[in-house]
Each structure stands twice: as structure tokens, then as C-alpha cells.
Amino acid sequence: MIKLPTFKLEPVNLSRDEFRSLSLEGLWRNNPGLVQLLGLCPLLAVTNNVVNGLGLGLATIIVLLASNVAVSAVRNFIRQEVRIPTFILIIAANVTIIDMLMKAFFHDLYNILGIFIPLIVTNCAVLGRSEAFASKHEPVRAGLDSLMMGIGFMLVLMVLGGMRELVANGTLFSQAHLMFGEAARGWVISFGKDFHGLLLAALPPGAFIGLGLLVAMKNSIDQRLRKPAPKAATVAAAPSATAGEAA
Amino acid sequence: MIQTLRKLWNIHGGLHLDYHKEDSNQSPARDIPLPAELVIPLQQHMGYKPNLTVKAGDYVYKGQELAEHNGFMKVPVHASTSGTITAIEERPIAHPSGLNDLCIILKPDGKDDWGNARMTPYPDHTQVDGEVLRKRICAAGIVGMGGAVFPAAIKLNVHDNIPISALIINGAECEPYITCDDRLMREKPEEIIAGIQIMMHIINTQQCLIGIEDNKPQAVAAMQAAIASSGDTRIQAIPVPTLYPTGGEKQLIKILTGKEVPSGGRPASIGMICHNVATARAIYRAIALGEPLVERYVTVSGSGIAKPCNLNVPVGTPVQHLIEQAGGYTQAVHRLLMGGPMMGITLNNPQIPVVKATNCILVEQPKPVPPAMPCIRCGRCMETCPANLLPQQLYWYSRSREFDKAENLHLFDCIECGCCAYVCPSHIPLVDYYRFAKAEIRTQRDTKRKAEIARDRHEFRLERQERAKREKAEKLAKHREQAQTSTDDGKKAAIQAALERAQAKKAAAQQDNPA
Amino acid sequence: MMFASHSTSTAPLDVSQVMRQVLYALIPGTLLLLWFFGWGLLTNWVLAIGFGLGFEAIMLKWRQRPIQPFLLDYSVIVTAWLLAVALPAYSPWWLMAAAMLFAVVIAKHLYGGLGYNPFNPAMVGYAAMLVSYPLQMTAWPAPLDAGFGQVGFEQTMQLVFGGASPASWDGFSAATALDTVKTDLRTHKPLMDIYAKETFGWLGGRGWEWVNLAWLLGGLWLLRQRIISWHIPAAFLGSLVLIAGMFWIIDPAQYTSPLFHLFSGAAILGAFFIATDPVTASTTPRGKLIYAAGIGLFIYIIRTWGGYPDAVAFSVIIMNMVVPLIDHYTQPRVYGT
């Protein structure tokens, strides 16, 4: 007979340092978009402007947060052999809820993001955090981790979206009304009618080039921060930068 | 008139260079006065160091053995003149990395006295067993004088299962500036032919092809005349097209016979033996005159020397002495090379001695070395590579230390001729990268082999210990068992005895009390 | 082998000498273009070289490489020159700037600079512009209609720097021969009627056939100088002619002739000057044949059934991608193996 562990609220002693390191991990050091290079499919597909990036980013944050808190809460009840299907079930349930909510309240944005909302289920960044972190930590830490990972992912989506929107159309925050209502129509920043937008940036190659540049930028900032380190470190960092560009 | 009778084959690639042969080949090779001091490196061949037989302070005659050759891949060295050994110490030698090595320092007494150091001559080699001749060649300290310095006697040791179809004699001398073989062929063709006949006797072959580049018509004519006067129809001197690096052993064999030495193999595996003309002459002198190899022709040439010439030089003569004999430098600043401009070794010190492999001392005006630019994959290296390798790919892999990939692209078939580096529009020192990669791979293999041996030993030791333990345990167990059984038996016997006694008593009692 | 059997005893070339010879070979065709397009070609040329050298210097500085030797190797000038003749004459300055940015910064230096770029920089610049600005990139004026006499210097400045809207280009530019064939065939016009149009000359596009002959002349000179080997041009043009000839024989009313394919677009320029870029081409003899034949094949496919009238840039980039694979499978037989 299987003896079920009893569910009890675990004491949480989250120190300031741990809070900082968990946040930094998700936002920068282990950013899912720039370092882990996870969830590239939506990352590359929907980032042709800031608003799309923001929309998908928010949806991903909510899914991440809800799923990973749930995974963490039930982690002691799940047998090792079936944990992946269970995680997927939890994530899928959350995605379905988000999908329906967006259909109801942000229908125009939903139409644009289309298939990529249901596809969050297969976003490796979500399952990855469940498997690597939430299934080993209690809900508070899991929640914090997924929140920070989600924000990190969203920021990459927005920056990439911004870059591509700017280069391709010469605007920022176009279509903001889809998310924030008619009042947001005026938020659009435009760089003039004569702007010869580079269509390539809005096309798939633009997404790859843009992500490559972002990864290179991140690595180069890291390198500069590590400047006092010996020369060998800079040499070792070089291949990762080129790998990023190649991606 | 040069006669071409044979069909010749082509090699891939190759280069036409500025040869500058006329600079030094216009006059006969001169003998030179002895230097103040001879520096004779102990090891002048590929293989292992011979064992010293002299010590500082000894007086030696010319030709006397200074180090003996008992053992595999060892070749002796001999005194190049008579005199006193002043020291045996580390001196700089000709080495790509500028290393020092053990040298015997000989102060000549000026008499150049052979004493009785000459070995017994064999005037008619056909009456002597090949094995005896081979031993003599080794004892005379003869190595490949074209630059490979492989012990000649070992090269002549052929296996019965692969008959030797031809002896190839290398008179190509394809590097610019060098003319010592050219002069030798013009001046001593009879000695070369006689040496060839000795070799043919040893390896038992009926054909000898002498390949000479067609920019040396006088040498070809001299050799053909010598062959004609010897009446030996088995030997042919064949002019081959002038193309660097025709003088590469593998390349010359391909050109003369159309056969390719298999990758990783030696010419002997396709029934060929290849020797240099100077080696052939040294063999003649060792057999017919009993003289060991103590001198050789050396070209001193280049734009930085006053009077380019060929000299007959005792082994061990410092390079500085040769330069003085050739009129000295034309400029204060110069670059010294041992060997030709394509494959030579840069010398950092003019006191470095001439060795058995030294064919040329080249004094060049120093040229500013253009900075290496990135490879643009133009493929010129590939077009000139005589081994048909992919030099630029080898370069990528050597540079990025992906040695296994370089090996898969046949890095070890590279003959380091330098054609690729010569034509490289980006001035990349390609051969340096290949040498580096080869050395690294060899070190890795060595470490691996050593590790394997160590592991085998360790495993064997563990097994031995295990076995010892097991045997000990078994022994102990046996011993215990024996002890056990013996005590058990004793107890049983005692009990048995007691029971028997009791029964006997009973019986006796019953007998005593009949009912 | 070819190289060896003809090689002279002169000192070998270095990179800058090789590049300089390529530039000399570009001169005849460029002069002809200059006659046809006047100021428009000159501005293209000056802008391309200027932006090219500028971006190269900035990137070298940023990457902490020595600036002088790399600027003097002429490789960036070859790239710039190719784009100057590939982009339509009278291109606006920003178009040339963006093309050079893609070519020098993204396609060349982000991959590690000279020798490390997998894609032909000039063609990356061209393709990025063609995808992004199809209107401006197909706005070729008709040859001679825009020569020195026809379009003045001031008007040129207006066109290049004045930010004239694309609408003003319509009367100015004429569809090229390849363009015309493509659009008219869609409307099921018979090929004979299409050929009767003004843009067609005696071999291909009117005027363009002469430019192509001049590229051919320069290319043959490069062959003679042994700067390039025969493999790439021969296989490139051979495969294009072969496949074009096959379809032409099957249905000459529907498919244009091989000669038209050779002399209307950028095929000859591509065969001698673009596909032969050693950095991005295959290096083995057999590999070069496969690589160049692939380019010829893709050009025909895209010209005939694709969305763009010409396809040298896309075809070269596609084949650049498979070069490592081709090189791996076409290694020559090493001596003794």
C-alpha cells in the first residue's frame, strides 16, 4: 500500500540575499530568452511589435506562475515516473484558462497572437522551470522564480518587438489599443511618414538577426562587467557570442 | 645531349621557383682549411643516441669512432680529423626550436692523420655478403644525406617477402640555391655509380633509376657518361622536369615509376628503396676505401654571402668558418638558414656545426615578414600541394586544436615542403601550424600509450594482489578446514572410544550377571 | 594541376593584389554602365565605397583590429563596387547605406571579419534590400535614358539625397527585360510579342547585353590572370544554359532562350565576380563544380517559377549555406591513399 505524504504548509525562510539572487537569475543571469534560448518559437514568431510581445509575455507570466506554484504544491504527491505528464496537464489547464480569458477580453490581440497562446503549453521555458525548479522547491520560491523568469522572458519579447517595430515601421507601441482600449491609440510613437522601414526586420530573418544581436549585447555587457578577469575569460566568452549570432 | 627514354608521371601541384643555382655551381667544390675547433653532435640521425667511447683529453685519429652503435636505430659518429677531445658538453645545434644537445669538441692538431682508424676495405663487394656490407655501412656512420638522416643501413635492410623492384637514387636537388649534389654528380659520378652497385648488391635488385632535375644538364651528362663507362646497363640516369618538390622521396618515386607510396607506409612496401646521391658516394667510400662518413659537400649561397660556392667540409665545422671561406657576409644584417629556403631551419647562432645532413648554408638578406592576414580560402595552397591535401582545412583544424579532424584529413601525409605557405596570399606560416599539430598529436599518443601501459601495470598489480590475497585466503581456508576436520575427527574418535568403552563395560557387566 | 603547369617564377600574390586584380576586371563593365547611367552610377559608386570604408573602419576599431592592413586589403572595396553596380542607378543614399550596413557589419564583421563570413557580404546586402525595398530595388532607368546628357547633376542630387518619394520614380524607371518577361508571361502573352517590346535588344535586355559582354571580358581576363579558376564560371553558366536550353527546346513559346538568360540579368557578373568569392565558395575542384552548378540551377528555378525576376543573390546565398557540406564530401584523393 502506498503511503501518501500529508500535505502541510512548509515554513518559508526567504532571505534577502536569496530573493535577490532568484530575481537576478530570472531577469538576467539565466534569462530564458537570452541565455537558455528556450521558447524560441513564440519568441521569434510574435515579436514584430512591442504590444504583441507584451501580450504574449503577460500570458506566459501568468501561465508560468500559476503552473509552477501548482506543480510545487503537489510535488510531494507525484511519483517520479509520471511527473512530466502531470506537469504538462497542469500547464495545459492553465493555458486553456488564459486562452479563454483572452478570447473573452482581448479578442483583437487574441486574433493576432493566434496559435501562439495555446502553444505556450509546449513552451520549454514553462516546462523547464517546472522540472528544474518548481518540482524541487516549495511554492513561495517556485512562485518567485517563475515570476522572475516570466518577467525576464517578457522583457526580451518586448525589447525584441520594439527593435523590430522600430526598424521595420519606424513606430513604437502601435496597436496598443488592442490591449489598453481606445485611449491607447495616442500612445503610438512614430518617426515620421518618410521613414523607409526595413521590411526585413518584420520578417522571420529580422527576428533571428535581432535575437542574435540581443544575445551578443548581453554577453558583451557581461564581459565588460567581468573586466578585471584575466584575458582567458574573454576568449572563452567569444564562442558563445558567435553561437548567439548564428542562432 | 640529354636523352629521355622513359615515360614519366606527373605529381599534383608543385611550384616553379627562382632557383639561383648558377650562383654556386660554377666552380668545383673546394677543400677548406681546418677550423680551430670541431663540434661534433653525438646524434646526427633519426633514432637514439649512440654510446660515447671517448672522454675529454683523449687523442683521436681521423676516422676514429667517437661513439658506438650497439643497439637499434643507433649510428656511430667519427672524428673528422685527428686531434684532442677538449670537452664533451651541450652546445647549440641545428634544431627548429634552437635546442642544445650533447656534442664532442675536437681540437684539430692539423696533421689530419688517419692513423690506423681506417676500416678494412672490401675492394670487390660482390664477393662479400650483403649483411656484412650493411654492418659496415652502419659502422661507417652513414645516414640519409638528403636531409632525412634515416640510418642508411636500416633502409637497406629489406624483407624477403617484398622483393625490391628498383633502387631510386635521388639527384633531383629541387630546392633553390642548393648545388652540392649537382657538383658531386659532376665531379664524382664514378664513386656514386660504384656506391649504387654496392647497394644493388645488398638489396638484390636489377634496376636503378637516378632522377635528376633537368636544370642540371651537366650533372645528367656526367652521370650518363659514368654509367656508360661502367658498362652497367641496369642503371639509368633520368632527367625529370624541374618542379619543386620533385626531390621529395614520395614525389620522385611517383614521377619515375608512377607508383605511390601508401599513406603511412615506406617505399619498401611497394618494392622501392630511395637514397640520395651523396649517400651512395659515402657508401662507396665506406666499402671500397674503409672510410667512415666524416666530410661532405656543402653549398654556401644566398644573397647575403660574398662568394657563393661549394665546399668539402669536415662534419662538425662551425657555420661561421664556412662563411669566412665563402668570402664573408655582404651585409651586417643577415638571416642564416641550414638547408634550402623552402624547408631550411633558421640558425640563431653562427657557431652551430655542420652535420651529416647539412646540404646548404643559406645567407639571406632579412626580409620584413608581412603580417599574417586571415585565410580567405582561396585554395592556392591546395592547388600547389604535392600530396593533394587540403592545406587550408588542415590549418583551420590545427589552429582550433581539432587534431582528430586534422588527422582524418591526412595531416601525417604532409611532407612539410612549404609550397602552401609560399603561395599563401595571406602570408600564413602554414607549415608551422602542421608541425605544431603533428607534435601535439604525437605527444597525445605518447601520453595515451604511457597511460595505457600504466593502467595495464596497475591492473596487473591489482590482479596480482587480488590473486595473492585469494590464494592466501584459500590457503588459510584449507588450513582451517584441515584443522577443523582434524579436531572434529579427534572429538568423534574420543566420543566413539568412550561409547565403546561404555558398551564394553556394559557387555562385561551383563556377562558378569547372567540372568 | 592547372596552376602548377602554368605557374611562373614570379613571387606569389598577396590578398590585396588579388583583390586589386578583381577591381581592374570590373572596370570595363563599370565604364559602360557609367555611359548608360551617368551621374546615377557615379553617386552609387561614391556612396558605396564611402559607406563601405566607413563601416569597415568603425567595425575594425570596435573589434580592436588593426585598421590599416584590413582597409588596404581592398576586400571591402570589392564588396562595395559590386553593390554599386548591382543596386539601381540613382539609388537613394539611405538604400546604399543600408545595403553596405548589411554587407559589411552584419554579413562580414559579426561573423568575424575577412575570411570568416559564410555568406557573400555583397549578396547579403543586396538580398536584404531586395526583400525590404522591392520598389526601389527594381527601379532601374532604361539604359542611355539616364545618361550624363539626360539627367543633370542637380536632378541627381534631388533623386539621391532629396528624399523623392517612390511615386516620382515611376515615370523614370523602366521594367528590365527579366521583369517584363515575368509579368507578361503571367498574362499569357506570347513570348514573341514580349520580345518585340522596347526593352529587348539583340541578345537580352537592350543595352544590358553590352554590359554583360563587358563583365564577360573582365571575367575572362581574371581567368587568364589565374585569379579565379575556370570551375566556378563554367559550372555556373553551364548549368544555367543547360537547364534553360532543356525547357526552351521543349517549349520555346513559353520559356526564354539560354542566351536570353545569360545576357539579361546578373548571371555573368555573378559567375565571374560574385560566386568566385573564395571565402564563401567551395574550395575543392569537384566542390566548386557542384557549388556553381547549384547556383545556376537555383537562378533558373527562381527566375522561371519564383517571385523575383532575378535570383543571383538568393542562389548564391543558398549555395553558400551548403559549402561546408560540399567541401566535406568532395575531398581530393590524397597521395598514397
Side-chain angles (χ1 to χ4, degrees), chain B residues 95-136:
Chain B
H95 188 277
S97 316
L99 294 180
N100 289 2
D101 201 9
L102 201 61
C103 296
I104 300 155
I105 318 298
L106 176 62
K107 189 174 166 47
D109 62 358
K111 292 184 195 138
D112 210 24
D113 182 9
W114 280 91
N116 55 1
R118 274 204 186 85
M119 297 172 278
T120 342
Y122 300 115
D124 184 3
H125 66 264
T126 52
Q127 301 304 311
V128 186
D129 184 45
E131 196 57 29
V132 176
L133 295 175
R134 238 171 36 76
K135 286 218 172 92
R136 161 60 58 82

Short mmCIF file of all heavy atoms in Angstrom, two decimals, chain B residues 95-136:
data_model
loop_
_atom_site.label_atom_id
_atom_site.label_comp_id
_atom_site.label_asym_id
_atom_site.label_seq_id
_atom_site.Cartn_x
_atom_site.Cartn_y
_atom_site.Cartn_z
N HIS B 95 68.38 23.01 -34.93
CA HIS B 95 67.11 22.45 -34.50
C HIS B 95 66.06 23.54 -34.66
O HIS B 95 66.35 24.70 -34.35
CB HIS B 95 67.23 22.01 -33.04
CG HIS B 95 66.04 21.23 -32.55
ND1 HIS B 95 64.91 21.86 -32.10
CD2 HIS B 95 65.81 19.90 -32.45
CE1 HIS B 95 64.03 20.94 -31.76
NE2 HIS B 95 64.54 19.75 -31.96
N PRO B 96 64.87 23.19 -35.12
CA PRO B 96 63.85 24.23 -35.34
C PRO B 96 63.60 25.08 -34.09
O PRO B 96 63.29 26.25 -34.18
CB PRO B 96 62.60 23.44 -35.73
CG PRO B 96 63.08 22.13 -36.17
CD PRO B 96 64.41 21.87 -35.53
N SER B 97 63.72 24.47 -32.92
CA SER B 97 63.45 25.22 -31.70
C SER B 97 64.71 25.78 -31.05
O SER B 97 64.66 26.27 -29.93
CB SER B 97 62.71 24.35 -30.69
OG SER B 97 61.70 23.63 -31.32
N GLY B 98 65.87 25.65 -31.73
CA GLY B 98 67.10 26.21 -31.18
C GLY B 98 67.57 25.53 -29.91
O GLY B 98 68.00 26.18 -28.97
N LEU B 99 67.46 24.20 -29.87
CA LEU B 99 67.84 23.47 -28.66
C LEU B 99 69.35 23.22 -28.61
O LEU B 99 70.05 23.33 -29.61
CB LEU B 99 67.14 22.12 -28.63
CG LEU B 99 65.63 22.16 -28.49
CD1 LEU B 99 65.08 20.76 -28.48
CD2 LEU B 99 65.23 22.90 -27.22
N ASN B 100 69.82 22.88 -27.43
CA ASN B 100 71.20 22.42 -27.27
C ASN B 100 71.21 20.90 -27.24
O ASN B 100 70.21 20.28 -26.91
CB ASN B 100 71.78 22.93 -25.95
CG ASN B 100 72.03 24.43 -26.02
OD1 ASN B 100 71.75 25.05 -27.02
ND2 ASN B 100 72.57 24.98 -24.95
N ASP B 101 72.36 20.32 -27.58
CA ASP B 101 72.48 18.87 -27.48
C ASP B 101 73.94 18.52 -27.18
O ASP B 101 74.84 19.34 -27.36
CB ASP B 101 72.01 18.21 -28.78
CG ASP B 101 71.62 16.75 -28.52
OD1 ASP B 101 71.57 16.37 -27.33
OD2 ASP B 101 71.39 16.02 -29.49
N LEU B 102 74.14 17.27 -26.77
CA LEU B 102 75.48 16.83 -26.38
C LEU B 102 76.40 16.77 -27.60
O LEU B 102 76.07 16.16 -28.61
CB LEU B 102 75.39 15.45 -25.73
CG LEU B 102 76.57 15.07 -24.84
CD1 LEU B 102 76.71 16.05 -23.69
CD2 LEU B 102 76.40 13.65 -24.32
N CYS B 103 77.56 17.44 -27.51
CA CYS B 103 78.50 17.47 -28.63
C CYS B 103 79.90 17.11 -28.13
O CYS B 103 80.25 17.38 -26.98
CB CYS B 103 78.56 18.87 -29.24
SG CYS B 103 77.01 19.39 -29.96
N ILE B 104 80.69 16.53 -29.05
CA ILE B 104 82.08 16.24 -28.74
C ILE B 104 82.93 17.35 -29.34
O ILE B 104 82.82 17.61 -30.55
CB ILE B 104 82.49 14.88 -29.33
CG1 ILE B 104 81.60 13.77 -28.73
CG2 ILE B 104 83.96 14.60 -29.07
CD1 ILE B 104 81.49 12.58 -29.61
N ILE B 105 83.70 18.03 -28.53
CA ILE B 105 84.50 19.15 -29.03
C ILE B 105 85.90 18.63 -29.33
O ILE B 105 86.57 18.08 -28.45
CB ILE B 105 84.59 20.29 -27.99
CG1 ILE B 105 83.22 20.52 -27.33
CG2 ILE B 105 85.14 21.55 -28.63
CD1 ILE B 105 82.13 20.95 -28.26
N LEU B 106 86.31 18.80 -30.59
CA LEU B 106 87.59 18.25 -31.03
C LEU B 106 88.49 19.38 -31.49
O LEU B 106 88.12 20.18 -32.34
CB LEU B 106 87.33 17.27 -32.19
CG LEU B 106 88.53 16.64 -32.88
CD1 LEU B 106 89.34 15.80 -31.91
CD2 LEU B 106 88.06 15.77 -34.04
N LYS B 107 89.69 19.44 -30.89
CA LYS B 107 90.66 20.47 -31.29
C LYS B 107 91.64 19.82 -32.26
O LYS B 107 92.43 18.95 -31.88
CB LYS B 107 91.40 20.99 -30.05
CG LYS B 107 92.27 22.21 -30.33
CD LYS B 107 92.82 22.72 -29.02
CE LYS B 107 93.95 23.71 -29.23
NZ LYS B 107 93.65 24.72 -30.21
N PRO B 108 91.60 20.20 -33.56
CA PRO B 108 92.45 19.53 -34.56
C PRO B 108 93.93 19.81 -34.28
O PRO B 108 94.30 20.89 -33.82
CB PRO B 108 92.03 20.18 -35.88
CG PRO B 108 90.73 20.86 -35.60
CD PRO B 108 90.74 21.22 -34.16
N ASP B 109 94.76 18.80 -34.57
CA ASP B 109 96.20 19.03 -34.42
C ASP B 109 96.84 19.41 -35.76
O ASP B 109 98.04 19.60 -35.86
CB ASP B 109 96.89 17.80 -33.84
CG ASP B 109 96.75 16.58 -34.74
OD1 ASP B 109 96.07 16.72 -35.80
OD2 ASP B 109 97.26 15.51 -34.40
N GLY B 110 96.00 19.49 -36.82
CA GLY B 110 96.50 19.95 -38.11
C GLY B 110 97.13 18.87 -38.95
O GLY B 110 97.44 19.10 -40.12
N LYS B 111 97.33 17.65 -38.38
CA LYS B 111 98.00 16.60 -39.16
C LYS B 111 97.01 15.86 -40.06
O LYS B 111 97.40 15.27 -41.05
CB LYS B 111 98.67 15.60 -38.22
CG LYS B 111 99.83 16.21 -37.46
CD LYS B 111 100.50 15.12 -36.63
CE LYS B 111 101.41 15.75 -35.59
NZ LYS B 111 101.31 15.08 -34.29
N ASP B 112 95.73 15.90 -39.67
CA ASP B 112 94.69 15.19 -40.42
C ASP B 112 95.11 13.73 -40.61
O ASP B 112 95.03 13.17 -41.70
CB ASP B 112 94.46 15.89 -41.77
CG ASP B 112 93.01 15.72 -42.23
OD1 ASP B 112 92.15 15.49 -41.35
OD2 ASP B 112 92.75 15.81 -43.43
N ASP B 113 95.56 13.12 -39.52
CA ASP B 113 96.19 11.81 -39.55
C ASP B 113 95.16 10.70 -39.35
O ASP B 113 94.42 10.69 -38.38
CB ASP B 113 97.24 11.78 -38.41
CG ASP B 113 97.98 10.46 -38.40
OD1 ASP B 113 97.80 9.66 -39.35
OD2 ASP B 113 98.72 10.23 -37.43
N TRP B 114 95.09 9.77 -40.33
CA TRP B 114 94.14 8.65 -40.22
C TRP B 114 94.61 7.62 -39.20
O TRP B 114 93.83 6.80 -38.74
CB TRP B 114 93.96 7.99 -41.57
CG TRP B 114 93.01 8.73 -42.50
CD1 TRP B 114 93.35 9.66 -43.39
CD2 TRP B 114 91.59 8.55 -42.59
NE1 TRP B 114 92.22 10.10 -44.05
CE2 TRP B 114 91.12 9.43 -43.58
CE3 TRP B 114 90.67 7.73 -41.93
CZ2 TRP B 114 89.79 9.53 -43.92
CZ3 TRP B 114 89.34 7.83 -42.28
CH2 TRP B 114 88.90 8.73 -43.27
N GLY B 115 95.92 7.61 -38.89
CA GLY B 115 96.45 6.57 -38.02
C GLY B 115 96.12 5.21 -38.59
O GLY B 115 96.29 4.98 -39.79
N ASN B 116 95.56 4.33 -37.77
CA ASN B 116 95.06 3.06 -38.33
C ASN B 116 93.55 2.96 -38.14
O ASN B 116 92.99 1.90 -37.92
CB ASN B 116 95.78 1.87 -37.70
CG ASN B 116 95.64 1.91 -36.19
OD1 ASN B 116 95.01 2.81 -35.65
ND2 ASN B 116 96.23 0.94 -35.52
N ALA B 117 92.91 4.16 -38.20
CA ALA B 117 91.47 4.19 -37.95
C ALA B 117 90.65 3.74 -39.14
O ALA B 117 89.46 3.49 -39.02
CB ALA B 117 91.05 5.61 -37.55
N ARG B 118 91.27 3.67 -40.34
CA ARG B 118 90.50 3.17 -41.49
C ARG B 118 90.09 1.74 -41.27
O ARG B 118 90.83 0.94 -40.71
CB ARG B 118 91.36 3.26 -42.76
CG ARG B 118 91.30 4.60 -43.45
CD ARG B 118 91.66 4.44 -44.93
NE ARG B 118 91.73 5.75 -45.57
CZ ARG B 118 92.82 6.50 -45.54
NH1 ARG B 118 93.90 6.07 -44.94
NH2 ARG B 118 92.81 7.68 -46.13
N MET B 119 88.85 1.41 -41.74
CA MET B 119 88.42 0.03 -41.63
C MET B 119 88.96 -0.75 -42.82
O MET B 119 89.40 -0.16 -43.81
CB MET B 119 86.88 -0.01 -41.63
CG MET B 119 86.31 0.72 -40.42
SD MET B 119 84.53 0.92 -40.47
CE MET B 119 84.34 2.33 -41.51
N THR B 120 88.89 -2.09 -42.73
CA THR B 120 89.41 -2.92 -43.83
C THR B 120 88.57 -2.68 -45.07
O THR B 120 87.36 -2.84 -45.02
CB THR B 120 89.28 -4.42 -43.49
OG1 THR B 120 89.11 -4.54 -42.09
CG2 THR B 120 90.44 -5.21 -44.01
N PRO B 121 89.19 -2.31 -46.17
CA PRO B 121 88.39 -2.11 -47.38
C PRO B 121 87.94 -3.44 -47.97
O PRO B 121 88.59 -4.48 -47.77
CB PRO B 121 89.37 -1.40 -48.33
CG PRO B 121 90.61 -1.14 -47.56
CD PRO B 121 90.61 -2.02 -46.36
N TYR B 122 86.81 -3.41 -48.67
CA TYR B 122 86.36 -4.57 -49.45
C TYR B 122 86.46 -4.16 -50.91
O TYR B 122 85.50 -3.59 -51.45
CB TYR B 122 84.91 -4.93 -49.12
CG TYR B 122 84.65 -5.29 -47.68
CD1 TYR B 122 83.83 -4.50 -46.89
CD2 TYR B 122 85.18 -6.45 -47.13
CE1 TYR B 122 83.57 -4.83 -45.58
CE2 TYR B 122 84.92 -6.79 -45.81
CZ TYR B 122 84.11 -5.98 -45.04
OH TYR B 122 83.85 -6.32 -43.76
N PRO B 123 87.60 -4.42 -51.54
CA PRO B 123 87.77 -3.91 -52.92
C PRO B 123 86.73 -4.50 -53.88
O PRO B 123 86.28 -3.84 -54.79
CB PRO B 123 89.17 -4.37 -53.31
CG PRO B 123 89.81 -4.87 -52.06
CD PRO B 123 88.74 -5.21 -51.10
N ASP B 124 86.34 -5.76 -53.66
CA ASP B 124 85.32 -6.34 -54.54
C ASP B 124 84.10 -6.70 -53.72
O ASP B 124 84.05 -7.75 -53.07
CB ASP B 124 85.89 -7.60 -55.23
CG ASP B 124 84.89 -8.17 -56.23
OD1 ASP B 124 83.81 -7.53 -56.40
OD2 ASP B 124 85.17 -9.22 -56.81
N HIS B 125 83.13 -5.81 -53.73
CA HIS B 125 81.98 -6.03 -52.85
C HIS B 125 81.15 -7.23 -53.26
O HIS B 125 80.42 -7.78 -52.46
CB HIS B 125 81.10 -4.77 -52.82
CG HIS B 125 80.46 -4.48 -54.15
ND1 HIS B 125 80.98 -3.61 -55.06
CD2 HIS B 125 79.32 -4.96 -54.72
CE1 HIS B 125 80.21 -3.54 -56.13
NE2 HIS B 125 79.20 -4.36 -55.95
N THR B 126 81.26 -7.65 -54.54
CA THR B 126 80.40 -8.76 -54.97
C THR B 126 80.77 -10.06 -54.27
O THR B 126 79.98 -10.99 -54.23
CB THR B 126 80.53 -8.97 -56.50
OG1 THR B 126 81.91 -9.09 -56.83
CG2 THR B 126 79.92 -7.80 -57.25
N GLN B 127 81.98 -10.11 -53.72
CA GLN B 127 82.41 -11.32 -53.01
C GLN B 127 81.98 -11.31 -51.55
O GLN B 127 82.21 -12.26 -50.83
CB GLN B 127 83.95 -11.45 -53.07
CG GLN B 127 84.50 -11.51 -54.48
CD GLN B 127 83.88 -12.64 -55.28
OE1 GLN B 127 83.81 -13.78 -54.82
NE2 GLN B 127 83.41 -12.32 -56.49
N VAL B 128 81.39 -10.21 -51.11
CA VAL B 128 81.05 -10.08 -49.68
C VAL B 128 79.54 -10.19 -49.50
O VAL B 128 78.76 -9.70 -50.33
CB VAL B 128 81.55 -8.71 -49.15
CG1 VAL B 128 81.34 -8.62 -47.64
CG2 VAL B 128 83.01 -8.51 -49.51
N ASP B 129 79.15 -10.83 -48.43
CA ASP B 129 77.73 -11.00 -48.13
C ASP B 129 77.09 -9.63 -47.85
O ASP B 129 77.68 -8.75 -47.22
CB ASP B 129 77.59 -11.91 -46.91
CG ASP B 129 76.14 -12.19 -46.62
OD1 ASP B 129 75.39 -12.49 -47.58
OD2 ASP B 129 75.74 -12.06 -45.45
N GLY B 130 75.86 -9.45 -48.32
CA GLY B 130 75.15 -8.18 -48.14
C GLY B 130 75.05 -7.77 -46.68
O GLY B 130 75.14 -6.59 -46.34
N GLU B 131 74.86 -8.76 -45.83
CA GLU B 131 74.70 -8.48 -44.41
C GLU B 131 75.98 -7.84 -43.83
O GLU B 131 75.91 -6.89 -43.04
CB GLU B 131 74.36 -9.78 -43.68
CG GLU B 131 73.79 -9.60 -42.29
CD GLU B 131 72.55 -8.74 -42.24
OE1 GLU B 131 71.78 -8.70 -43.22
OE2 GLU B 131 72.36 -8.05 -41.22
N VAL B 132 77.12 -8.36 -44.28
CA VAL B 132 78.41 -7.82 -43.83
C VAL B 132 78.57 -6.38 -44.30
O VAL B 132 78.97 -5.50 -43.55
CB VAL B 132 79.56 -8.69 -44.35
CG1 VAL B 132 80.92 -8.09 -43.96
CG2 VAL B 132 79.44 -10.12 -43.83
N LEU B 133 78.18 -6.15 -45.55
CA LEU B 133 78.28 -4.80 -46.10
C LEU B 133 77.38 -3.84 -45.34
O LEU B 133 77.72 -2.70 -45.07
CB LEU B 133 77.90 -4.80 -47.59
CG LEU B 133 78.83 -5.58 -48.52
CD1 LEU B 133 78.27 -5.61 -49.93
CD2 LEU B 133 80.23 -4.98 -48.52
N ARG B 134 76.20 -4.30 -45.02
CA ARG B 134 75.24 -3.47 -44.30
C ARG B 134 75.80 -3.06 -42.93
O ARG B 134 75.68 -1.93 -42.49
CB ARG B 134 73.92 -4.22 -44.12
CG ARG B 134 72.73 -3.48 -44.72
CD ARG B 134 71.47 -4.32 -44.73
NE ARG B 134 71.30 -5.18 -43.59
CZ ARG B 134 70.91 -4.78 -42.39
NH1 ARG B 134 70.66 -3.51 -42.17
NH2 ARG B 134 70.77 -5.64 -41.41
N LYS B 135 76.43 -4.03 -42.26
CA LYS B 135 77.04 -3.75 -40.96
C LYS B 135 78.13 -2.70 -41.11
O LYS B 135 78.25 -1.80 -40.28
CB LYS B 135 77.62 -5.04 -40.37
CG LYS B 135 76.54 -5.97 -39.86
CD LYS B 135 76.97 -6.67 -38.57
CE LYS B 135 75.83 -7.44 -37.94
NZ LYS B 135 75.78 -8.84 -38.41
N ARG B 136 78.89 -2.80 -42.20
CA ARG B 136 79.95 -1.84 -42.44
C ARG B 136 79.36 -0.44 -42.68
O ARG B 136 79.86 0.55 -42.16
CB ARG B 136 80.78 -2.28 -43.67
CG ARG B 136 81.62 -1.18 -44.31
CD ARG B 136 82.64 -0.59 -43.34
NE ARG B 136 83.55 -1.57 -42.80
CZ ARG B 136 84.64 -2.03 -43.42
NH1 ARG B 136 84.94 -1.57 -44.61
NH2 ARG B 136 85.40 -2.93 -42.85
#
